[in-house]
Amino acid sequence: MNSKKRSILLVYTGGTIGMMKDYASGALKAFDFSQLLKNIPELNQLDCTISSFSFNVPIDSSNMNPTHWVEISDIIAENYNNYDGFVVLHGSDTMSYTASALSFLLENLAKPVILTGSQLPIGDLRTDAKENLITAIQIAALQQNGKPVIQEVGLYFEYKLYRGNRTTKINAEHFQAFASLNYPQLIESGVHLTIFKEYLLPQKKKSALRAHQNMDDNVAILKLFPGINENIIDAILAAQNLKALILETYGSGNAPMEEWFLKKLKNAIKKGVHIINVTQCSGGAVIMGQYETSSKLKKMQVINGKDITTEAAITKAMYLLGSGVSHELFKTVFETSLRGEMI
Ligand code: ASP
């Protein structure tokens, strides 16, 4: 470790982590982040200089949208050279979507961007916020041989750092709210921080950070269920300007073989809609062609989402459409891992 103090920028977007109980009324109120060090004196023990930036109006993460993602990515890009690492405080509900979106928007990222939040507000007696916040900052400050250990977008929650675009919120009340079922954790926090170096994205060559600006929201998710009827499929495929559809299929990428269903998908593809096959199982991968029920999809050029999460698939589709990848290249680029989001 070299002895220079690390500088960390905390970006507060909202969510439970930033709330404090007003003991007079008992109500939860957004916390004044300029008072961070005063309210959480433990942070003074970290060997870091901490600055904070707060959204003008902190939001519940259910209100997140692609404009906010670009805003967060811009804040990081504008401050990139002045800080060693970034911690984004965010509501847990859509944190996996934001982590995925940021991973795509921030091309050539060579510094840590760690998202965290909490299930209980920071002022609650049994809060998980302090541990999550303190360890997220420690992880953002980690360096070895003068280089950041983490050079990607991570999500830290309940003693584990995951690759952000591999995560899913799996529980609405357990402190362990996230899982990364198709990719191992990157760091485990115990008495020491154990870093699983073999799973980190490789150190970046010296290309400059590129913060992309456009996400195209002409996308949809369709989760199959036994009994899904023509009207439902028609309604989704008839959405004006629909450009990409994440099709949540069964098991390893299987879908009904009824003629009407396959014909509707085929027509949509012919009209220029990209259809991406993602499994609705929490873990495992799509293997197109393993069963007869997916070989028809393969034949009609449905895109293989492999082991990508739905959160990463929808944000990757928005990013690729927004970045102007040509229609012909979309399938090849989608099937390629850009930020470690798929095999
Ligand atoms: N509803 C909150 C949010 O996502 C929950 C949380 O912060 O964990 O903003």
Side-chain angles (χ1 to χ4, degrees):
M1 282 282 261
N2 80 45
S3 56
K4 189 179 154 276
K5 269 196 171 195
R6 310 273 178 254
S7 54
I8 303 297
L9 181 64
L10 279 185
V11 181
Y12 174 55
T13 68
T16 303
I17 191 164
M19 306 250 159
M20 280 213 135
K21 203 172 232 157
D22 173 5
Y23 285 102
S25 65
L28 288 174
K29 280 188 173 166
F31 172 88
D32 176 1
F33 258 76
S34 60
Q35 301 295 308
L36 187 71
L37 290 175
K38 211 174 109 204
N39 282 298
I40 315 173
E42 294 92 329
L43 293 177
N44 287 311
Q45 289 178 43
L46 294 171
D47 196 22
C48 299
T49 314
I50 301 167
S51 311
S52 66
F53 179 98
S54 176
F55 269 21
N56 280 343
V57 183
I59 56 171
D60 185 292
S61 77
S62 307
N63 289 316
M64 272 284 158
N65 62 42
T67 308
H68 295 120
W69 297 336
V70 172
E71 191 182 336
I72 301 168
S73 145
D74 279 347
I75 294 166
I76 292 167
E78 279 158 23
N79 291 284
Y80 195 65
N81 294 328
N82 301 329
Y83 292 91
D84 295 306
F86 302 85
V87 173
V88 179
L89 301 176
H90 193 289
S92 62
D93 289 349
T94 64
M95 197 187 294
S96 294
Y97 291 89
T98 299
S100 301
L102 289 177
S103 76
F104 297 117
L105 287 170
L106 294 165
E107 190 176 351
N108 299 326
L109 181 68
K111 291 187 177 181
V113 172
I114 313 296
L115 281 89
T116 194
S118 65
Q119 293 284 52
L120 287 174
I122 209 149
D124 196 285
L125 212 49
R126 295 177 52 251
T127 191
D128 52 334
K130 282 191 186 174
E131 198 287 316
N132 285 347
L133 173 60
I134 289 166
T135 309
I137 294 173
Q138 278 187 319
I139 289 173
L142 279 180
Q143 292 201 357
Q144 244 162 23
N145 305 324
K147 293 208 174 100
V149 171
I150 305 296
Q151 304 201 2
E152 56 182 289
V153 177
L155 186 154
Y156 182 79
F157 223 88
E158 192 62 3
Y159 304 112
K160 290 189 165 101
L161 179 77
Y162 305 104
R163 174 164 301 151
N165 59 28
R166 289 291 196 156
T167 61
T168 303
K169 184 170 181 183
I170 47 142
N171 201 296
E173 53 194 53
H174 289 174
F175 285 139
Q176 180 142 13
F178 290 88
S180 166
L181 286 153
N182 284 336
Y183 201 76
Q185 66 206 41
L186 307 179
I187 292 184
E188 177 149 18
S189 160
V191 173
H192 305 286
L193 289 179
T194 309
I195 305 166
F196 301 99
K197 281 201 181 128
E198 63 276 34
Y199 299 126
L200 303 177
L201 279 183
Q203 303 262 320
K204 303 292 172 334
K205 304 213 180 67
K206 276 200 184 110
S207 323
L209 177 77
R210 186 165 170 216
H212 292 265
Q213 297 293 319
N214 300 311
M215 297 290 262
D216 188 329
D217 61 4
N218 289 298
V219 294
I221 299 174
L222 171 59
K223 181 172 183 161
L224 294 180
F225 57 90
I228 191 164
N229 71 31
E230 298 200 33
N231 297 334
I232 306 297
I233 306 275
D234 283 343
I236 294 204
L237 291 176
Q240 227 181 354
N241 281 333
L242 181 68
K243 293 181 189 158
L245 176 72
I246 310 301
L247 184 67
E248 277 201 0
T249 56
Y250 307 123
S252 53
N254 307 312
M257 284 170 61
E258 283 161 278
E259 210 38 59
W260 65 263
F261 173 76
L262 296 170
K263 212 165 138 197
K264 284 183 198 300
L265 295 190
K266 216 188 250 172
N267 285 340
I269 293 173
K270 231 192 240 161
K271 277 199 270 167
V273 179
H274 302 287
I275 300 185
I276 299 126
N277 188 353
V278 164
T279 176
Q280 53 184 254
C281 293
S282 344
V286 163
I287 308 172
M288 298 236 283
Q290 189 184 30
Y291 290 89
E292 200 184 2
T293 40
S294 68
S295 53
K296 303 244 165 152
L297 302 180
K298 188 176 180 186
K299 222 165 140 205
M300 67 172 87
Q301 295 296 301
V302 165
I303 295 167
N304 188 349
K306 303 179 190 175
D307 65 345
I308 200 168
T309 61
T310 297
E311 293 88 333
I314 194 84
T315 51
K316 186 174 185 177
M318 289 183 187
Y319 161 69
L320 289 181
L321 292 168
S323 71
V325 165
S326 72
H327 191 268
E328 292 65 39
L329 273 180
F330 187 96
K331 182 174 190 294
T332 312
V333 181
F334 198 103
E335 289 179 348
T336 307
S337 177
L338 302 178
R339 312 281 192 264
E341 75 281 5
M342 56 162 48
I343 32 177

